[in-house]
């Protein structure tokens, strides 16, 4: 039985950090006796954190993996993959990886990573996003991967840009808008192309943007100006024009929204190249016990209502999208930053910006904010988070930012990467996913 050593280096008892929605209580299992022994040499089991989520008939695993063995980039990539395979082997039932986001230090390493993944996954290549954002711990690669048990879920790989997952009358669609590079097109044209490309890919699955609950937009040099206009502002203009042609108010799944606009939850964040990497996730179902909730933050102006000084066409996204499936609620939290109302607060102070960002998330997902929209007994806390993505603008802020996150949120599968946030004065952006259960009103704790 292996353990985490005092130096934190060896963790080859690959037990989950968290179990969500299981009948067992939330616990940290790294020190747990039931952790399985593995034959992997310790240096091939990188720093790994994962959360196991029990959703009725299916199990999902959220993994955040970084290698530790060092060496060439190829060795690091193999190590990260071995770690993912080891985690999945321990689940005791067949699992398939559906989507992964691969953070790399250097764009030149992407072809190597792709080769390693193709050798490992073959025809079952998950939807893969390569994002040039150096992992904060100095490694060449960090991987976020999601897997699902295939005993009751059917996973279909329709090509490298499209994966669908079906179970219990639900069909999840993961679609990518590709990885566009600077090729003479303006930032507006590039952004417009990314959205139409996602629409084309969704259409191949018989889906469209009216099914989409979440988007990820990784935009190279996000705050750079081209012909006097910031690239991110042009992305917002293209997104606004694109969404104007789609009837997001009439979705096939019913939405609680307090009357405001219904846009997908989103992450908009910078990368270290000029490209634009995009993906989205949609849900189709005819089940009557499935409902969406478009959440806005009581502390923040809705992004789609930001005044013109931030962007002529405002950012069209919801602060979070929650999906209720029976008693379960999954909440996709958009990229969140140190913004109160519409203004950046705590300029230059990473500790206070991180605190404010976490407070914003806390208020966004709390029971009161769900109740405002008529979902009594719903809501989530930091304990319900499956994983956290922290984007830090300045590498030197990593330690301070991480200390605040760990104090407030606890030990959680996380990836910290260096990235520009879409306003020059924002030092950090955080996104997460929470899994919670609707409590019967009678069991609600008195407040
Ligand atoms: C903000 O609150 C920070 O353009 O899709 C966060 C999440 C941000 C998503 C997007 C932008 C986006 O305005 C930036």
């Amino acid at each position: 039985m292996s353990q985490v050593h005092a130096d934190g280096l060896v963790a080859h008892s690959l037990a989950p950090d968290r179990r969500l929605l299981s009948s067992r209580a939330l616990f940290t299992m790294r020190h747990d006796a039931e952790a399985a022994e593995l034959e992997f040499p310790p240096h091939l089991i990188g720093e790994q954190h994962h959360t196991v989520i029990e959703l009725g008939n299916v199990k999902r695993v959220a993994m955040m993996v970084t290698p530790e063995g060092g060496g060439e980039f190829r060795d690091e990539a193999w190590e990260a993959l071995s770690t993912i395979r080891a985690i999945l082997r321990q689940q005791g039932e067949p699992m398939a990886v559906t989507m992964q986001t691969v953070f790399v230090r250097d764009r030149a390493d992407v072809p190597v990573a792709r080769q390693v993944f193709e050798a490992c996954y073959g025809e079952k290549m998950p939807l893969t996003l390569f994002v040039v954002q150096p992992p904060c711990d100095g490694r060449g690669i960090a991987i976020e991967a999601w897997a699902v048990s295939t005993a009751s879920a059917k996973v279909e790989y329709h090509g490298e840009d499209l994966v669908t997952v079906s179970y219990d009358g639900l069909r999840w669609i993961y679609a990518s808008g590709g990885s566009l590079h600077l090729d003479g097109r303006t930032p507006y044209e590039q952004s417009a192309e990314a959205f139409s490309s996602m629409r084309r890919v969704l259409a191949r699955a018989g889906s469209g943007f009216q099914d989409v609950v979440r988007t990820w937009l990784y935009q190279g040099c996000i705050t750079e100006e081209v012909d006097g206009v910031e690239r991110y502002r042009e992305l917002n203009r293209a997104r606004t024009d694109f969404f104007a042609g789609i009837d997001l108010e009439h979705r096939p799944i019913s939405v609680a929204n307090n009357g405001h606009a219904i846009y997908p939850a989103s992450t908009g964040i910078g990368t270290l190249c000029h490209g634009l990497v995009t993906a989205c996730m949609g849900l189709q179902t005819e089940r009557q016990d499935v409902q969406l909730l478009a959440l806005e933050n009581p502390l923040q102006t809705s992004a789609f209502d930001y005044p013109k000084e931030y962007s002529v066409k405002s950012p069209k996204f919801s602060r979070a999208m929650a999906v209720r499936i029976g008693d379960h609620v999954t909440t996709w939290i958009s990229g969140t930053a140190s913004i109160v109302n519409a203004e950046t607060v705590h300029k230059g102070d990473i500790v206070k910006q991180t605190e404010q960002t976490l407070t914003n998330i806390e208020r966004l997902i709390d029971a009161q904010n769900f109740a405002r929209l008529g979902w009594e007994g719903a809501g989530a806390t930091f304990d319900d988070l499956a994983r956290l993505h922290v984007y830090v603008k300045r590498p030197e802020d990593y330690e301070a930012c991480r200390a605040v996150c760990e104090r407030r949120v606890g030990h959680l599968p996380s990836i910290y990467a260096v990235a520009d946030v879409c306003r020059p004065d924002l030092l950090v952006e955080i996104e997460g996913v929470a899994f919670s259960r609707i409590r019967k009103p009678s069991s609600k704790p008195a407040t």
Side-chain angles (χ1 to χ4, degrees):
M1 157 85 223
S2 39
Q3 282 178 2
V4 180
H5 291 185
D7 59 10
L9 274 182
V10 181
H12 55 294
S13 57
L14 301 185
D17 295 276
R18 293 196 161 187
R19 283 180 186 277
L20 296 178
L21 302 175
S22 91
S23 40
R24 288 187 270 181
L26 169 82
F27 61 100
T28 298
M29 237 181 77
R30 288 200 149 205
H31 314 283
D32 201 281
E34 72 179 80
E37 189 104 30
L38 282 163
E39 72 275 29
F40 289 87
H43 69 275
L44 268 182
I45 302 299
E47 175 69 15
Q48 60 81 29
H49 296 290
H50 68 282
T51 297
V52 174
I53 306 132
E54 315 271 358
L55 290 160
N57 289 329
V58 304
K59 177 153 98 176
R60 284 192 182 261
V61 180
M63 293 168 275
M64 301 297 231
V65 171
T66 49
E68 288 177 19
E72 302 283 307
F73 178 82
R74 184 179 300 272
D75 302 326
E76 291 194 306
W78 271 117
E79 187 187 334
L81 255 177
S82 305
T83 307
I84 288 171
R85 290 171 63 184
I87 294 168
L88 297 183
R89 279 231 310 253
Q90 288 197 149
Q91 300 308 315
E93 56 183 312
M95 304 289 298
V97 179
T98 53
M99 182 181 184
Q100 59 176 353
T101 308
V102 182
F103 300 90
V104 295
R105 188 172 49 209
D106 189 343
R107 183 150 102 85
D109 289 329
V110 169
V112 177
R114 184 182 292 280
Q115 208 181 43
V116 169
F117 291 133
E118 280 169 0
C120 172
Y121 287 111
E123 299 288 287
K124 298 183 171 176
M125 181 73 175
L127 190 101
T128 303
L129 305 184
F130 289 102
V131 177
V132 185
Q133 287 183 347
C136 285
D137 56 10
R139 305 293 167 184
I141 186 170
I143 304 176
E144 169 187 359
W146 286 84
V148 65
S149 55
T150 51
S152 37
K154 182 173 164 201
V155 181
E156 290 169 281
Y157 299 90
H158 306 270
E160 66 174 87
D161 50 6
L162 179 64
V163 175
T164 55
V165 179
S166 314
Y167 57 88
D168 291 352
L170 305 165
R171 183 164 179 257
W172 297 92
I173 301 122
Y174 301 90
S176 128
S179 178
L180 308 177
H181 296 290
L182 195 65
D183 49 8
R185 276 181 293 188
T186 64
Y188 180 93
E189 289 164 346
Q190 190 180 53
S191 306
E193 170 57 24
F195 279 98
S196 20
S197 157
M198 280 190 274
R199 173 161 55 190
R200 279 194 304 271
V201 175
L202 287 165
R204 279 182 15 230
S207 175
F209 260 90
Q210 68 286 347
D211 298 329
V212 168
V213 298
R214 185 78 171 85
T215 61
W216 289 269
L217 313 171
Y218 293 97
Q219 186 181 31
C221 306
I222 192 163
T223 57
E224 192 178 280
E225 290 192 1
V226 178
D227 297 329
V229 189
E230 211 177 76
R231 284 167 58 80
Y232 177 63
R233 292 178 185 227
E234 288 296 86
L235 180 148
N236 280 317
R237 195 159 67 84
R239 173 168 52 186
T240 299
D241 291 348
F242 178 81
F243 281 158
I246 290 166
D247 189 2
L248 289 173
E249 307 301 309
H250 294 95
R251 287 168 173 265
I253 302 179
S254 83
V255 192
N257 64 325
N258 266 347
H260 56 63
I262 308 169
Y263 297 110
S266 182
T267 293
I269 193 79
T271 68
L272 282 188
C273 59
H274 279 91
L276 179 59
V277 173
T278 54
C280 62
M281 181 184 69
L283 173 63
Q284 293 180 323
T285 187
E286 289 181 1
R287 279 172 58 167
Q288 293 305 304
D289 62 343
V290 176
Q291 203 190 15
L292 303 179
L293 183 76
L295 286 164
E296 290 305 309
N297 196 319
L299 301 179
Q300 297 186 299
T301 306
S302 294
F304 47 80
D305 287 334
Y306 279 167
K308 295 229 180 324
E309 63 197 271
Y310 296 105
S311 198
V312 179
K313 294 292 172 68
S314 63
K316 303 294 189 292
F317 68 93
S318 295
R319 295 297 180 186
M321 265 288 208
V323 181
R324 172 191 186 154
I325 299 168
D327 268 356
H328 291 155
V329 181
T330 305
T331 307
W332 280 276
I333 301 160
S334 288
T336 305
S338 181
I339 295 173
V340 172
N341 301 321
E343 286 82 51
T344 301
V345 296
H346 312 304
K347 292 183 186 173
D349 186 332
I350 185 64
V351 169
K352 286 188 177 154
Q353 284 208 8
T354 307
E355 294 276 11
Q356 184 64 56
T357 300
L358 292 171
T359 300
N360 286 350
I361 291 177
E362 205 166 33
R363 289 291 298 278
L364 174 67
I365 64 176
D366 74 11
Q368 236 184 320
N369 202 32
F370 277 80
R372 284 204 309 162
L373 286 147
W375 282 20
E376 298 293 335
T381 68
F382 289 151
D383 284 343
D384 302 313
L385 291 172
R387 58 104 173 125
L388 214 56
H389 261 174
V390 183
Y391 305 96
V392 183
K393 184 190 178 85
R394 308 184 299 209
E396 65 270 25
D397 286 340
Y398 165 51
E399 300 290 340
C401 172
R402 184 171 183 140
V404 174
C405 290
E406 292 190 344
R407 176 169 50 75
R408 294 274 301 267
V409 180
H411 184 73
L412 183 69
S414 309
I415 284 178
Y416 293 76
V418 179
D420 272 340
V421 188
C422 59
R423 292 185 192 178
D425 51 15
L426 289 173
L427 302 175
V428 61
E429 181 171 315
I430 302 179
E431 62 159 281
V433 188
F435 293 86
S436 56
R437 211 188 283 273
I438 299 207
R439 283 178 236 226
K440 301 288 166 283
S442 57
S443 64
K444 253 200 322 198
T447 41

